[in-house]
Amino acid sequence: IQVEESAISLWNWTVTKHTGAVINDEQRAKLRFVACRLIFLCEGSDPPEGTIRRQILMSMKTGKGWIDIGKAGLADGFLENAMSSIEKLYAKLRKGSEGEADIQVHRADVEKSLFKVLSYQAESVFAQGDFQKAVMCVQRCKDMLMKLPKETCYLSILCYNFGVETYERKRYEQSSFWLSQSYDIGKMDMKYSVGKEMQAKVLRLLATTYFEWDCSLYLDKALKAISLANQENLHPAGFFLKVKILLKSGASDEDINSALAEFMHLEMSLDFCLNTAKLLLENGRESVGFDFLKSVPERFESSPDLGKITLLHIEFLLQNKRELLAKQKIEEVIIGHYTGKQLLPEALNQLHVILWDRAAKHYEEKRYSEALHWYNYSVSFYTPGQIDQNLAKLQRNMASCYLHLKQFDKAKEAVKQAERCDPSSIFTKFSVYKIAVMENDTDKAMEAVIEMGKLAEKPSEHEDKLRVDKNTGSNLLSLAAQIALENDQQIVAIKALEYLSEHLQDCRQLFAALKCLVRLMLSKVMAENAEKRDEDINSILTYLNLAHKRLAESVTEEEFTGDMRIFEAHWFRKVAWNLAVQFKDSPGKMRDFFVLSFKLSQFCPSDKAVLIAQKTCLLMAAAVDLEMGRQQVTPSEQMELFSQALQHLQTCKEIWKVLKLTGDFAKDPTDTLLLLYEFEARSKLNDPTLHNLMESVWEQPQIEIKTLEIIASLAMESPARYPVLCKKALKSALNLHRKQAVIDAVKFSKCLHSLINISLPTGLTDLDTCVLQEVWDYFEDALSVVSSTDAYPEMEILWLMTRAWNTGIFQYTVGKYKEAEQWCGLGMRFLNHLGSLKKSYE
């Protein structure tokens, strides 16, 4: 009992909350489902009549709830339960009956519920796509209508709804069945019928179904259905459909006129009449159509929309290539416009559209004079001095026609009028630009393209939104560049392409524009003298930088594929490389192009060729920075250049590590160059890590003499001053010279010269004994080599003799007589090896 009470309470609560819109249809269906299940769980073996009636009601409503929310499959079980409960109720009522009269009363009572359940079952199986079961359920309902005449309207509408659904799904055979059933059921009891208007509606849809299903096969049925519909209730839709069916059937003009006559007394809107005329004319019934169209004004004499009739007349005259008659009609409208018979604004706008379309068609066919004729019709509706954006567009279109006809004065006048009406329009500026280019007025063209570029950045708030989208500015600038190139105006084309590259969103179009810009600017640079080149070279750098920027951004663009990105990157990196080589007389520019080439190559696959290119770019950039740092620049500029060089070298070292894994680079000088460049940069930056770098250098077994000599030179090159490193490098070099199978006396002499110079500075007298001993050893080395070869340069021998003698003299001046004697004696030993100069110094 408690379960039953809870189920009833839940049911009633659900009804209340749904009425108050607290719960939605699906939540209501679920709650009903629970309550209904609970009721059946506690029914017992012989439930009382009230319980059974409650079960029937709850099962029906739960099933219907599932159907209404589109879950018909869940409804079947509840509807079967309802049917079973109805049988139980009928059996129980018969058992308690006292006679035949009582049985009839109970049967009538039960049949109402049975009808409802059957109709719900029909809905359920229909929703599940079971046509045959739905037919059986509806047929049973139909058989019960004699006893339940009040349900006629309900069942008729149910069949109509089935017909609408199947029609929308293009299941014409099923739709025709259900609509026929709906109509037949609607006729069964006139007292409870759906009414003539609904019956006509059913028949019109039935006729439409036959018409769309197979007009040739079911034409008679379609005509019969629409005729019946019109008998039930005359309606414009029925009239229109009948005409449509007759046209499709190929009926004679006489039959169609008869059909039209049937409905002439009906009240129909002007638009409906125009649609009918349009239908007739579109189906090639010109005679009937134009006759009908001529009769329409009489029906709507007081209507302000009479202009629509004229417009339709003009449209169909044009469609049927009766242009002369159409022109006569248009001229009548123009006269009417100035004699108090103006078209309504909407109709006038439509006429302008017709006129512009016709003009555009002639323009496309290159019949520019005829296009102007139609544009002039449109101009006729504007008053002198009128300001209107559409008039501006009209004047621009006319200017285009005049340009094609080489009538430049008229084109300029038309553009002048366009500027008066819409001066801030990018389209107007484009028209000005076209005329300037064609007249070879470069200044005017440049001025116009600059205006276009500004307008492309921020489209006018007053610009026609239908004509201007985000790509309009780009499209016009692209066209402007094309026109300039076709007319050999490179400077103007460059300016247009520069603005274009700033606004293009499409990567492919942008890179095409940038390539064109690079080519154009290069040809310009080649033709200029050196003084004018700088600015244009900077422009090319700007283009390449923009290419790099957009390549980086394009990673997120799906339409711009990886292969496209690689292709473009290769093109621009090669251009940057070639320009770097080409502008070697301008170190700063050369460096910038090499750096750009490297950056662009980072979008390419890292194959061996690309890695070599990257390494070379960075080495060259570092070399240029170092060279520029050696020039007479400020200390801060020097520091910046040397720091930049060091950054390039660090990146280059990483690339070189990877590159060396791809093959044999034993003869490649990159390691040496990296060492020398890094040493120079760090030494001139006074980098504290320089000594650590050199520790690894001293340990290298394969280091070359030349490398050590360059290091020694760089260690003392301003602003660097590292005498200890210089001396160490020279000593290492000298050792390597000694190890040669045959000593190169000339190179040996130079290296020794530098080492003595750094070890024994000129003018110093107070020298440490250890230093003097070390230097003495160098002189002894020199004597050893001098004694063993005649190739030692005589001037170097003279220099050695002089340095040794002078060192002895310096020792003498400070009272070191013994040392003085030794050093002077050392000098005398060199005297014996002099050649032609010996006599002069003896």
Side-chain angles (χ1 to χ4, degrees):
I1 293 171
Q2 279 185 330
V3 173
E4 186 176 7
E5 287 175 353
S6 298
I8 294 167
S9 296
L10 177 60
W11 184 275
N12 292 337
W13 182 87
T14 302
V15 172
T16 306
K17 294 301 178 186
H18 187 265
T19 305
V22 176
I23 58 174
N24 61 32
D25 290 346
E26 186 169 359
Q27 290 168 331
R28 178 177 68 164
K30 289 176 178 178
L31 289 167
R32 280 179 167 180
F33 169 87
V34 174
C36 192
R37 281 292 174 88
L38 288 171
I39 282 292
F40 273 93
L41 284 173
C42 53
E43 69 174 329
S45 57
D46 187 21
E49 182 186 331
T51 299
I52 297 172
R53 286 186 183 277
R54 189 180 297 117
Q55 287 175 343
I56 294 168
L57 176 69
M58 292 173 76
S59 295
M60 281 197 301
K61 286 189 175 289
T62 302
K64 179 63 172 164
W66 286 124
I67 293 167
D68 289 344
I69 64 167
K71 295 184 178 180
L74 296 173
D76 292 345
F78 291 97
L79 296 175
E80 286 168 11
N81 287 341
M83 193 68 82
S84 178
S85 296
I86 288 170
E87 289 171 5
K88 283 182 189 177
L89 178 62
Y90 185 56
K92 196 170 193 69
L93 291 172
R94 282 199 64 168
K95 194 175 179 182
S97 298
E98 295 180 356
E100 187 61 32
D102 277 355
I103 291 171
Q104 292 302 324
V105 171
H106 295 319
R107 182 178 289 161
D109 181 28
V110 169
E111 280 178 341
K112 288 179 184 177
S113 298
L114 180 61
F115 182 91
K116 281 287 182 192
V117 173
L118 283 168
S119 69
Y120 292 164
Q121 283 183 325
E123 279 191 73
S124 177
V125 293
F126 175 83
Q128 294 176 70
D130 195 330
F131 175 70
Q132 294 302 330
K133 280 189 181 178
V135 171
M136 287 169 59
C137 292
V138 168
Q139 189 57 49
R140 286 186 67 185
C141 290
K142 191 175 176 183
D143 294 342
M144 296 171 73
L145 287 178
M146 294 299 290
K147 296 177 182 178
L148 300 169
K150 289 183 181 179
E151 300 296 339
T152 301
C153 181
Y154 168 80
L155 190 60
S156 176
I157 289 172
L158 180 67
C159 289
Y160 173 74
N161 290 338
F162 288 172
V164 170
E165 274 197 56
T166 46
Y167 168 77
E168 288 172 350
R169 295 176 190 169
K170 301 191 184 302
R171 295 176 184 171
Y172 298 121
E173 187 174 2
Q174 291 182 20
S175 179
S176 63
F177 171 81
W178 290 120
L179 293 169
S180 297
Q181 287 293 308
S182 176
Y183 176 66
D184 291 343
I185 291 166
K187 293 191 298 182
M188 287 178 69
D189 193 309
M190 299 311 294
K191 184 179 178 182
Y192 299 106
S193 173
V194 291
K196 288 183 176 293
E197 287 185 7
M198 185 63 197
Q199 286 286 76
K201 188 177 179 181
V202 172
L203 288 165
R204 283 197 297 273
L205 183 56
L206 179 59
T208 302
T209 301
Y210 285 131
F211 181 75
E212 292 183 14
W213 183 8
D214 189 335
C215 188
S216 59
L217 195 60
Y218 299 107
L219 181 65
D220 290 341
K221 288 187 176 184
L223 277 171
K224 183 181 177 183
I226 197 61
S227 297
L228 283 171
N230 292 336
Q231 286 172 22
E232 291 282 350
N233 179 48
L234 278 174
H235 189 278
F239 156 64
F240 192 80
L241 184 56
K242 185 171 183 179
V243 171
K244 201 173 176 182
I245 294 167
L246 286 169
L247 287 168
K248 189 75 175 179
S249 70
S252 66
D253 286 357
E254 190 179 345
D255 289 341
I256 292 169
N257 274 322
S258 298
L260 293 171
E262 289 176 28
F263 291 86
M264 290 307 287
H265 62 281
L266 275 182
E267 282 209 12
M268 293 182 283
S269 68
L270 175 59
D271 284 340
F272 187 85
C273 289
L274 292 176
N275 285 334
T276 303
K278 202 171 180 180
L279 177 69
L280 293 166
L281 293 168
E282 284 174 347
N283 280 274
R285 302 303 179 99
E286 292 179 29
S287 174
V288 180
F290 282 122
D291 285 346
F292 180 76
L293 198 58
K294 288 172 186 174
S295 71
V296 174
E298 298 171 16
R299 298 169 63 96
F300 299 96
E301 285 179 334
S302 59
S303 172
D305 276 339
L306 277 175
K308 287 183 177 180
I309 303 168
T310 307
L311 289 182
L312 186 63
H313 204 149
I314 292 167
E315 276 190 80
F316 276 95
L317 286 171
L318 290 172
Q319 282 179 21
N320 288 283
K321 298 182 179 177
R322 298 184 182 179
E323 202 165 273
L324 195 59
L325 287 172
K327 284 181 178 179
Q328 289 175 3
K329 275 282 179 188
I330 292 162
E331 286 160 10
E332 286 173 15
V333 174
I334 294 169
I335 293 166
H337 184 75
Y338 291 99
T339 55
K341 295 179 182 178
Q342 289 94 345
L343 298 175
L344 288 178
E346 185 182 345
L348 182 56
N349 286 339
Q350 193 180 341
L351 178 57
H352 279 302
V353 170
I354 293 168
L355 297 172
W356 287 26
D357 282 347
R358 180 56 46 168
K361 186 182 177 188
H362 285 298
Y363 185 91
E364 287 168 8
E365 292 169 357
K366 299 184 179 181
R367 294 161 64 189
Y368 304 114
S369 296
E370 194 61 29
L372 280 167
H373 195 85
W374 288 91
Y375 281 132
N376 276 316
Y377 278 147
S378 188
V379 170
S380 301
F381 291 98
Y382 291 96
T383 55
Q386 186 175 346
I387 303 293
D388 185 277
Q389 280 195 354
N390 285 327
L391 179 56
K393 182 180 179 182
L394 180 55
Q395 293 288 359
R396 289 194 297 266
N397 292 346
M398 292 176 75
S400 293
C401 293
Y402 286 130
L403 284 175
H404 282 291
L405 294 169
K406 306 296 182 187
Q407 297 177 13
F408 293 114
D409 289 340
K410 288 184 178 181
K412 284 160 85 170
E413 182 56 34
V415 170
K416 187 178 176 182
Q417 292 300 320
E419 282 189 288
R420 183 181 60 80
C421 294
D422 196 2
S424 62
S425 167
I426 192 169
F427 295 101
T428 302
K429 298 300 177 189
F430 181 66
S431 296
V432 172
Y433 170 83
K434 280 197 294 184
I435 293 170
V437 169
M438 289 183 179
E439 290 192 322
N440 209 25
D441 188 341
T442 304
D443 292 339
K444 186 77 172 173
M446 284 289 281
E447 185 183 321
V449 88
I450 290 167
E451 290 286 341
M452 286 170 65
K454 290 176 182 176
L455 289 168
E457 288 173 14
K458 189 180 179 183
S460 170
E461 294 176 8
H462 308 294
E463 196 73 83
D464 185 345
K465 290 178 182 176
L466 292 175
R467 292 184 283 120
V468 176
D469 61 24
K470 62 182 181 180
N471 296 320
T472 297
S474 300
N475 293 340
L476 287 176
L477 286 166
S478 179
L479 196 54
Q482 185 181 331
I483 291 168
L485 289 171
E486 287 170 357
N487 287 272
D488 295 323
Q489 295 194 23
Q490 284 196 4
I491 296 171
V492 181
I494 287 169
K495 182 59 69 177
L497 286 166
E498 283 178 344
Y499 277 114
L500 179 63
S501 63
E502 290 173 17
H503 300 105
L504 275 173
Q505 298 301 312
D506 184 279
C507 281
R508 282 171 290 188
Q509 292 179 7
L510 171 72
F511 291 126
L514 287 173
K515 285 178 182 178
C516 191
L517 267 173
V518 169
R519 292 186 183 109
L520 286 172
M521 195 59 85
L522 271 174
S523 64
K524 185 168 178 271
V525 167
M526 293 301 105
E528 290 173 333
N529 57 40
E531 293 176 6
K532 293 183 179 179
R533 279 186 180 182
D534 269 3
E535 190 178 337
D536 290 338
I537 294 171
N538 286 333
S539 295
I540 296 172
L541 277 167
T542 302
Y543 307 152
L544 294 176
N545 273 310
L546 179 56
H548 176 263
K549 178 174 177 283
R550 289 303 299 272
L551 280 169
E553 292 170 353
S554 70
V555 175
T556 58
E557 295 183 24
E558 292 180 11
E559 292 183 6
F560 194 68
T561 64
D563 287 342
M564 291 178 186
R565 191 176 303 108
I566 291 166
F567 177 81
E568 299 297 351
H570 273 306
W571 192 92
F572 284 105
R573 82 169 178 86
K574 288 174 183 176
V575 166
W577 172 281
N578 292 333
L579 290 170
V581 174
Q582 192 169 338
F583 297 122
K584 58 186 177 182
D585 295 334
S586 178
K589 300 290 189 296
M590 180 168 73
R591 184 266 321 277
D592 291 342
F593 281 120
F594 272 128
V595 171
L596 259 175
S597 183
F598 164 72
K599 287 181 178 178
L600 289 160
S601 71
Q602 290 178 301
F603 297 104
C604 304
S606 297
D607 56 31
K608 189 174 180 179
V610 169
L611 287 171
I612 290 172
Q614 289 179 339
K615 177 208 66 167
T616 309
C617 283
L618 290 168
L619 274 176
M620 291 301 294
V624 173
D625 278 330
L626 292 171
E627 179 59 36
M628 290 171 69
R630 296 183 198 117
Q631 309 304 318
Q632 296 298 318
V633 291
T634 63
S636 63
E637 288 174 331
Q638 273 191 328
M639 293 305 102
E640 186 181 346
L641 288 164
F642 294 142
S643 297
Q644 277 180 192
L646 202 53
Q647 287 174 10
H648 297 325
L649 292 167
Q650 293 305 315
T651 309
C652 187
K653 282 167 79 173
E654 296 303 315
I655 292 166
W656 180 232
K657 283 179 189 175
V658 177
L659 186 56
K660 284 197 285 189
L661 299 173
T662 65
D664 182 12
F665 291 91
K667 295 181 180 179
D668 194 295
T670 299
D671 279 318
T672 302
L673 291 172
L674 282 170
L675 169 61
L676 293 174
Y677 291 167
E678 185 174 359
F679 179 83
E680 181 176 1
R682 290 192 187 280
S683 64
K684 290 178 179 177
L685 284 168
N686 198 21
D687 191 322
T689 65
L690 181 64
H691 289 281
N692 294 335
L693 170 70
M694 294 313 296
E695 285 306 316
S696 63
V697 174
W698 309 136
E699 294 169 6
Q700 290 180 20
Q702 302 299 324
I703 193 162
E704 295 180 358
I705 296 169
K706 185 67 177 174
T707 304
L708 290 166
E709 289 173 344
I710 294 170
I711 287 172
S713 174
L714 291 171
M716 298 301 289
E717 189 175 278
S718 181
R721 184 164 179 78
Y722 290 91
V724 174
L725 289 176
C726 173
K727 193 173 173 182
K728 192 164 185 177
L730 289 170
K731 285 168 75 174
S732 298
L734 202 62
N735 286 333
L736 290 174
H737 274 299
R738 288 196 198 100
K739 291 177 183 178
Q740 300 295 314
V742 178
I743 295 176
D744 186 324
V746 176
K747 291 180 179 178
F748 179 88
S749 70
K750 288 180 181 177
C751 180
L752 188 67
H753 187 128
S754 298
L755 181 57
I756 291 170
N757 256 349
I758 194 73
S759 303
L760 189 66
T762 305
L764 292 182
T765 55
D766 188 17
L767 291 170
D768 188 87
T769 306
C770 293
V771 172
L772 283 171
Q773 184 57 50
E774 182 185 340
V775 176
W776 180 275
D777 291 341
Y778 299 151
F779 277 90
E780 289 287 357
D781 282 345
L783 270 172
S784 173
V785 175
V786 168
S787 302
S788 63
T789 180
D790 294 331
Y792 208 98
E794 188 176 13
M795 292 307 294
E796 286 296 321
I797 296 171
L798 177 61
W799 181 83
L800 287 166
M801 182 191 78
T802 306
R803 285 305 304 267
W805 181 269
N806 288 344
T807 303
I809 297 301
F810 288 143
Q811 296 299 309
Y812 179 84
T813 59
V814 294
K816 294 183 178 180
Y817 303 118
K818 184 180 178 182
E819 289 84 351
E821 183 185 356
Q822 290 172 342
W823 279 98
C824 287
L826 180 63
M828 292 296 289
R829 290 161 68 187
F830 282 102
L831 178 63
N832 296 326
H833 296 285
L834 286 174
S836 60
L837 296 172
K838 184 178 179 183
K839 288 182 180 180
S840 302
Y841 285 92
E842 276 182 327

